[in-house]
C-alpha cells in the first residue's frame, strides 16, 4: 500500500494525516505518516504508518486507547 492510498483510506474513516521523511532503509527512502482523529489536538497521534519507497507499507503502530477500532458483529 502506498502512502497516498493509506491517507485516502484513513481520511475516509475520519482521520487527518501528516507525512514526513524519516531517513533511509538501506538504499531506500523511508516515510512516516502520522494520523489523528479529525478535530483532535495536532499533538495527538492515533496511528503511525511507515513506508519504504519501493516496498510500500512496512509497519503500522496503533494507539490502543485512541486509535481506530473495528466493530464486530456476530456474523463475523
Amino acid at each position: 500500500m502506498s502512502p497516498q492510498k493509506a491517507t485516502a483510506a484513513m481520511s475516509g474513516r475520519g482521520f487527518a494525516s501528516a507525512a514526513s521523511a524519516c531517513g533511509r532503509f538501506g538504499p531506500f527512502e523511508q516515510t512516516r505518516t502520522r494520523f489523528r482523529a479529525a478535530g483532535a489536538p495536532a499533538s495527538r497521534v492515533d496511528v503511525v504508518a511507515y513506508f519504504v519507497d519501493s516496498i510500500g507499507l512496512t509497519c503500522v503502530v496503533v494507539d490502543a486507547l485512541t486509535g481506530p477500532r473495528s466493530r464486530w458483529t456476530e456474523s463475523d
Side-chain angles (χ1 to χ4, degrees):
M1 177 179 275
S2 70
Q4 297 81 6
K5 287 184 179 180
T7 298
M10 292 295 284
S11 177
R13 302 290 283 172
F15 286 82
S17 65
S20 61
C22 63
R24 300 190 72 72
F25 180 77
F28 307 107
E29 189 65 37
Q30 185 171 335
T31 304
R32 174 180 45 232
T33 303
R34 295 177 179 177
F35 299 95
R36 62 178 171 78
S43 60
R44 185 170 113 183
V45 177
D46 300 317
V47 178
V48 180
Y50 293 91
F51 303 87
V52 174
D53 277 347
S54 65
I55 299 170
L57 180 64
T58 58
C59 182
V60 177
V61 180
V62 179
D63 186 299
L65 297 177
T66 63
R69 299 175 187 254
S70 293
R71 292 198 169 93
W72 299 98
T73 63
E74 293 202 21
S75 63
D76 290 336

